[in-house]
Amino acid sequence: MNADNLTGLIGYLKQDQWQSCFEEVLGEHLGPALEAADISFEDLGDILGQGAAMSLWGCAFEDFLGQDWDNENFVEVYLKRRGWKEGPRKSAYMRGLKEAVMSLYEVSQIVPGQSMMVRDLLRGGDPVLVHERSATQSLKPWERIAARLVPEDGKMVLAGSLLAYSPQACEDLAENLRDVLKRKRGQAEFPKIKTDVLRDLAPVFTLTWLFRTMENMVSASEPPVLFNGDGEDLVFHDVCFPLSKGSTQKSIAEVLNTISCLQHAGRMIWNWTRQAGDHIPEANSKAEDSKAQFLSTTLDGGGLVLGTLELKGRQLRLQVNSETRAEQGTALLRNALGSLIGSPLTQIMTAEQAIEEQRTSGRGDVLEDEIPLEEEAEVLAAVLEQHYRRVLDEVVPGLGHVTPRQAVKTAAGKKKVAAWLKQIEATTAGLGLEGAGASFSFDWMWEELGIKGLRK
């Protein structure tokens, strides 16, 4: 909330006539979430921090300013009685805030401490230049915010209360808006909404953000539930078959090279794969948990890697990440190799054990000569660019299990790729690449994929 502009207006809220009206609006914005969590508004400051709690209060207050009560508006009543204290500049700002509408914006072209471009994701239209000092210091390109735009001294500025929307919160908002508006789920990420309709939906933004934030806080205290690409419990199996007497690596390799689901991946190394058209196991109901995380590897041709095989010394080693795959892989090798291999020994490690082993293994002695931060950023930038050049030709599940180059062949695919690229830019914005200078940029990806016009 812009305290300099609204101090008098906020103080006037203490009038009995208006206090009960505002409490009604505040209840619409926060009540359902507070009841679900069995907490009061006073508790929010301790749970979310005073800054977040005041932003939520401010969202309700800004909504209240645009409403009429018995044909009277709080702002107009205040200015009629106290406007002489405010002057024309502050009075104009208050009236602009009264007319402003909460919407969801995507930010870009950020100049820290000065300005940014914002695109309205619900009403459409061209991006708008917004002059803003504090928010531009922390926002990253393509992040999304729920906020109001207010004219001030011939420029557009942000109202004091804004909510930073995560990708999950954006998905929740789209679903909630469709439910409220009774719209069917369409191809567009968000429903298109007219200003007069959007004006009545302000509490949806606050409640969506608050419910998602509190749910994330609960989830953060619980470990993720890990599954492989088939939704099976993630349990690492290392199955070692001894080579039988008289067997050789050559004789084993000759057989393995005849098995269609094994793809040669290096000297005496094979990927055990399942192609897109093959039978997929029934999904594990536990994998529908909101905290579920999936680990899988997909080859360029679209095949899912089920495990790896390696011939080393007098052993054939099968590594998989579930009990089911261990059983299936063992049966596959027994049937194909028969007496060429002996009975296997299996080592099992849960995901939790693997994480703990990684955590406690340490990095060894710290090098005396640390890599300078600027050089480290340049190395990271080079690695990321090499990675993303390769990704353009790899299958991306979020694009409909096609490569980015394939996706941009359709209009709908181009929009999906643009959203995917924006997410990548937003994610990597916080990796400390500033030291890499202007050499690290995603511009080449937009140009190479032919969708530079969608980068707005």
Side-chain angles (χ1 to χ4, degrees), residues 230 232 259-265 269-275 278 297 299 303-309 318-333:
D230 290 329
E232 300 164 342
I259 301 175
S260 60
C261 61
L262 298 183
Q263 295 188 23
H264 202 263
I269 298 176
W270 293 260
N271 283 323
W272 174 30
T273 66
R274 181 175 66 231
Q275 298 305 312
D278 294 345
T297 302
L299 300 177
L304 177 68
V305 177
L306 304 178
T308 59
L309 282 166
L318 168 67
Q319 292 181 301
V320 293
N321 60 15
S322 76
E323 181 180 359
T324 300
R325 291 182 181 178
E327 293 173 353
Q328 294 174 344
T330 297
L332 172 70
L333 295 175

Side-chain angles (χ1 to χ4, degrees), residues 315-389:
Q315 284 188 335
L316 174 61
R317 185 182 184 188
L318 168 67
Q319 292 181 301
V320 293
N321 60 15
S322 76
E323 181 180 359
T324 300
R325 291 182 181 178
E327 293 173 353
Q328 294 174 344
T330 297
L332 172 70
L333 295 175
R334 283 188 179 279
N335 290 336
L337 296 171
S339 60
L340 294 176
I341 55 175
S343 298
L345 292 176
T346 302
Q347 289 184 322
I348 300 175
M349 182 179 293
T350 66
E352 292 77 11
Q353 289 170 332
I355 293 172
E356 183 61 24
E357 182 178 272
Q358 180 70 23
R359 183 184 296 117
T360 57
S361 62
R363 295 176 55 191
D365 295 332
V366 179
L367 294 177
E368 292 183 5
D369 297 326
E370 294 288 348
I371 300 175
L373 291 178
E374 183 175 348
E375 183 178 338
E376 184 177 321
E378 291 177 354
V379 172
L380 179 57
V383 170
L384 284 175
E385 181 164 345
Q386 183 180 22
H387 166 73
Y388 286 121
R389 286 192 181 279

